[in-house]
Amino acid sequence: DTRVAIIGAGKMARLLAQHLSSRGLSTVLNVVNRSKERSEELAKMVPDVELALHSMDAMIDVVRSVDVVFTSTGATEPILTKENLEVERSGQDEDERDDAQEKEKKTMLIDISVPRNVASDVGEVDGMVVFNVDDLKAVVARNQARRKKLSVQAEVLLKEELVDFRNWHHSLGSVP
């Protein structure tokens, strides 16, 4: 099962939690936020989702323990940086680091915040794959272009079938 975390507990976090629940999230959803009260409010708003609430002090540990992280805070500066993610890793001794790297899967960071919560250089950290709002807009644009192309093809097919149907319907008048 995919382990997921959301950093932030506002409206976007609520929408994410509801969406993940509707998609069958079967694991605990980790929520990291600076305000315990706001996290508890989020938990009340999404009673169908089991939340594990964490303080910002645990943010790096949570990021390292999950597969997917969504960031959605009101911070005006990046909260996840190459430096703070690498500092955590440098605290491990050599054997632990080798074991961790062997077992390590990629962590996907999806930054849906404006301004960004994930610094642009975080993608350089081993094991981190970063997507931001601009990347998501590009994916949406590609999907829309593909759907537009498919709808044009469907329209051509429908016109061809309509001609065939009209010819068949017209031929009914000449059958005794």
Side-chain angles (χ1 to χ4, degrees):
D1 288 334
T2 303
R3 298 163 299 168
V4 180
I6 300 174
I7 301 176
K11 180 180 179 181
M12 291 303 295
R14 177 181 54 80
L15 292 172
L16 273 167
Q18 290 171 334
H19 177 74
L20 292 169
S21 174
S22 73
R23 293 293 202 165
L25 179 72
S26 60
T27 60
V28 173
L29 179 59
N30 294 278
V31 175
V32 177
N33 197 58
R34 61 188 163 86
S35 162
K36 182 180 178 184
E37 293 78 24
R38 189 77 178 248
S39 296
E40 290 170 348
E41 285 176 33
L42 175 63
K44 289 177 187 170
M45 287 189 250
V46 288
D48 297 342
V49 181
E50 184 181 349
L51 300 182
L53 307 179
H54 306 275
S55 70
M56 290 301 279
D57 295 336
M59 178 179 67
I60 300 299
D61 291 334
V62 171
V63 168
R64 287 282 177 204
S65 71
V66 300
D67 304 304
V68 180
V69 178
F70 293 92
T71 62
S72 174
T73 76
T76 57
E77 297 290 326
I79 57 173
L80 290 174
T81 64
K82 181 178 179 180
E83 292 76 28
N84 66 11
L85 289 168
E86 286 181 338
V87 165
E88 179 66 21
R89 176 163 288 175
S90 68
Q92 299 171 339
D93 70 31
E94 201 64 40
D95 291 334
E96 287 175 333
R97 200 172 309 127
D98 289 342
D99 290 343
Q101 286 174 347
E102 284 178 13
K103 295 176 187 172
E104 182 179 1
K105 295 192 316 188
K106 298 273 185 202
T107 299
M108 184 181 301
L109 301 172
I110 304 171
D111 187 354
I112 58 174
S113 301
V114 177
R116 293 184 182 160
N117 287 170
V118 179
S120 58
D121 60 357
V122 168
E124 298 170 14
V125 177
D126 288 339
M128 296 291 157
V129 179
V130 181
F131 296 96
N132 60 43
V133 172
D134 295 331
D135 298 324
L136 298 176
K137 285 180 184 177
V139 169
V140 168
R142 280 194 307 271
N143 285 340
Q144 286 176 331
R146 184 177 57 81
R147 287 182 182 147
K148 177 70 174 166
K149 182 180 175 185
L150 289 173
S151 73
V152 168
Q153 291 172 347
E155 198 171 316
V156 167
L157 182 62
L158 284 171
K159 285 179 183 178
E160 290 171 359
E161 291 297 322
L162 182 59
V163 167
D164 289 346
F165 175 77
R166 284 184 178 153
N167 288 339
W168 171 78
H169 189 262
H170 180 67
S171 72
L172 292 178
S174 60
V175 176

